Amino acid sequence: MTLLFKNRGALLILMFNLLLVFTGIGLVIPIMPKFMETLGITGGIVGLLVAAFSLTQLLFSPLAGRLSDKFGRKRMIVIGMLVFAVSEAMFGFAESSVLLFVSRLLGGISAAMIMPAVMAYAADITTKEERASGMGFINAAITTGFIIGPGIGGYIAEFGIRAPFYAAGAAGVLAAVINLIILPESKPAQEDAVETAAAAGKEQRGFLTQLRYSYREPYFLALIIVFVMSFGLANFETVFGLFVDHKFGYEPKDIAFIITFGSIAGAVVQVTIFSWILRTFGERRVISVCLLFAGLFIALTLFVHKFWLVFAVTFIIFLAIDILRPAISTQMSMVAKDQQGYVAGLNSAFTSLGNIAGPIIAGFLFDADINYPYTLACVVLLLCFVLTLSERKRSLQEART
């Protein structure tokens, strides 16, 4: 009973860490238009700033995972939270784009340090029967952070454009102290640790090769859709604040309201009727419809002008993307069979690549014309929709023969 209580307490602390980190990531979205004006930076720089976080997270995650095996989960989490605090405070103090880049690069490193350690810790303290539930709580904290981040950033910005980042930095220090004092170190069995380290080394050696030859896999189309989805959503979110600021003069609070409630809609669907949607219509049909709706409604963003219409269109886009993401993951898990870890790694890699490419291209297109990023996102998503239809037709023909 005491052990169960300690595990529950540790899990709550882990959830708090991820909630804080992903809330901090979302803070930047509604505030970037004002930062552009204050520091005189372009849309291209904004895109690079967003991509910088995903890049360092992608590059440092394998190393951070091995370090958490070697030095312990708790140590990595505490250091990661302190790095997070420094990165957020630095963003608040920044008076030049150079410091903004350093801040976002550090932010990616902090996420790379925290995420593998938290996931490994959750696996350490749960049995096989409890693991799915534990990971579900962890992912719920991530999703909640993404949802409330823009909202908190927009509303705290009423007290000053830099206030949200100072608050996040202070919360990061507080979380590090709580982890240091309260969180016990998890101790996996020695043989498990050896096996985990060996598997991690094997995955690291083969990562680029896996990426290079992923086109040979039967789920390659699903990986392409993962990339396109990440690219399209990152494209949409990166310039959304800039777009409505330049076109309609929206304030951070207005931007935060639209993004937050759009995200909440997707989260509600995921935890209520998502499984019913998949059972009723099937993964492939759901994926095709979501790609179609996301592409069309991103195009509609270019033509609406009233606040309630902008809100409604954005609401549908977030809803489509939030149904699309788990639908693709479900489809990939069905075809992965005994390669679940391998496929999950490729899924994460293609997501990161989309999160890097999308903001960079969107930012530079925004500088050319504020409508270009959404035009490209629309075209890419609709082309992917056509691709899913052709793949579905091919699969049906193969089934008949």
Side-chain angles (χ1 to χ4, degrees):
M1 189 72 177
T2 306
L3 181 60
L4 182 61
F5 176 78
K6 286 182 179 178
N7 287 349
R8 285 181 177 176
L11 193 60
L12 286 174
I13 296 174
L14 297 180
M15 291 173 64
F16 174 71
N17 290 332
L18 292 184
L19 176 68
L20 184 63
V21 169
F22 284 92
T23 298
I25 293 170
L27 287 176
V28 69
I29 296 173
I31 299 168
M32 280 313 298
K34 297 301 180 185
F35 261 90
M36 280 187 70
E37 295 174 11
T38 303
L39 302 179
I41 58 178
T42 63
I45 297 297
V46 173
L48 289 170
L49 282 170
V50 176
F53 184 100
S54 297
L55 177 62
T56 49
Q57 184 179 11
L58 175 65
L59 294 177
F60 279 85
S61 287
L63 173 62
R66 294 198 301 277
L67 290 176
S68 76
D69 287 335
K70 185 175 181 180
F71 298 109
R73 325 299 192 200
K74 176 177 177 176
R75 184 176 301 180
M76 293 299 293
I77 292 171
V78 170
I79 296 173
M81 293 307 304
L82 290 175
V83 174
F84 168 79
V86 170
S87 72
E88 291 295 323
M90 185 179 293
F91 205 99
F93 284 115
E95 295 289 347
S96 68
S97 56
V98 174
L99 281 181
L100 293 179
F101 273 109
V102 174
S103 166
R104 298 313 283 174
L105 290 170
L106 284 175
I109 293 173
S110 72
M113 296 176 75
I114 294 167
M115 284 295 294
V118 167
M119 293 299 184
Y121 196 119
D124 292 341
I125 64 173
T126 55
T127 64
K128 290 182 179 179
E129 293 74 21
E130 298 169 335
R131 192 144 309 155
S133 178
M135 292 301 177
F137 282 116
I138 293 294
N139 282 290
I142 294 173
T143 301
T144 304
F146 271 128
I147 290 172
I148 67 176
I152 292 176
Y155 285 101
I156 296 181
E158 295 290 303
F159 300 97
I161 200 65
R162 299 174 186 270
F165 301 102
Y166 300 149
V173 173
L174 176 62
V177 172
I178 291 173
N179 281 286
L180 186 63
I181 296 174
I182 300 177
L183 188 69
E185 178 61 81
S186 63
K187 295 291 184 184
Q190 184 62 34
E191 59 270 17
D192 290 341
V194 171
E195 289 175 7
T196 301
K202 184 177 179 181
E203 278 190 15
Q204 175 64 12
R205 289 195 301 271
F207 174 75
L208 291 178
T209 303
Q210 291 170 8
L211 207 58
R212 181 180 176 186
Y213 293 107
S214 59
Y215 71 92
R216 298 178 177 177
E217 303 292 352
Y219 40 77
F220 180 64
L221 176 64
L223 291 172
I224 293 298
I225 296 173
V226 166
F227 173 79
V228 170
M229 177 193 67
S230 301
F231 179 95
L233 182 59
N235 182 311
F236 177 78
E237 284 194 332
T238 298
V239 299
F240 178 78
L242 311 181
F243 179 82
V244 295
D245 174 76
H246 282 60
K247 200 164 187 177
F248 309 118
Y250 286 178
E251 293 296 317
K253 188 164 65 174
D254 302 319
I255 299 169
F257 178 85
I258 293 172
I259 293 176
T260 300
F261 280 92
S263 300
I264 289 174
V268 169
V269 169
Q270 284 180 357
V271 300
T272 53
I273 63 171
F274 173 72
S275 59
W276 174 85
I277 292 173
L278 283 195
R279 287 196 308 270
T280 305
F281 302 104
E283 292 93 352
R284 291 185 177 181
R285 188 174 297 174
V286 170
I287 290 169
S288 296
V289 171
C290 287
L291 285 168
L292 176 63
F293 270 73
L296 290 178
F297 276 80
I298 285 177
L300 280 177
T301 308
L302 303 175
F303 302 102
V304 295
H305 299 285
K306 294 184 178 180
F307 181 86
W308 71 270
L309 284 174
V310 174
F311 173 80
V313 168
T314 308
F315 183 91
I316 298 297
I317 293 169
F318 275 102
L319 188 60
I321 293 293
D322 285 334
I323 296 174
L324 178 61
R325 184 182 291 111
I328 294 172
S329 297
T330 302
Q331 185 188 48
M332 290 182 67
S333 68
M334 295 297 185
V335 299
K337 297 180 181 177
D338 59 344
Q339 293 183 306
Q340 296 293 337
Y342 173 77
V343 173
L346 283 176
N347 190 346
S348 177
F350 275 76
T351 299
S352 296
L353 291 174
N355 288 339
I356 293 167
I360 294 174
I361 294 175
F364 284 104
L365 286 177
F366 182 86
D367 289 338
D369 188 297
I370 64 172
N371 296 317
Y372 285 175
Y374 288 174
T375 303
L376 175 63
C378 169
V379 170
V380 169
L381 289 169
L382 292 180
L383 284 175
C384 197
F385 162 71
V386 174
L387 184 62
T388 60
L389 292 183
S390 62
E391 175 65 17
R392 189 174 164 194
K393 184 178 179 181
R394 184 184 66 80
S395 298
L396 288 173
Q397 289 175 344
E398 288 179 355
R400 289 170 184 167
T401 58

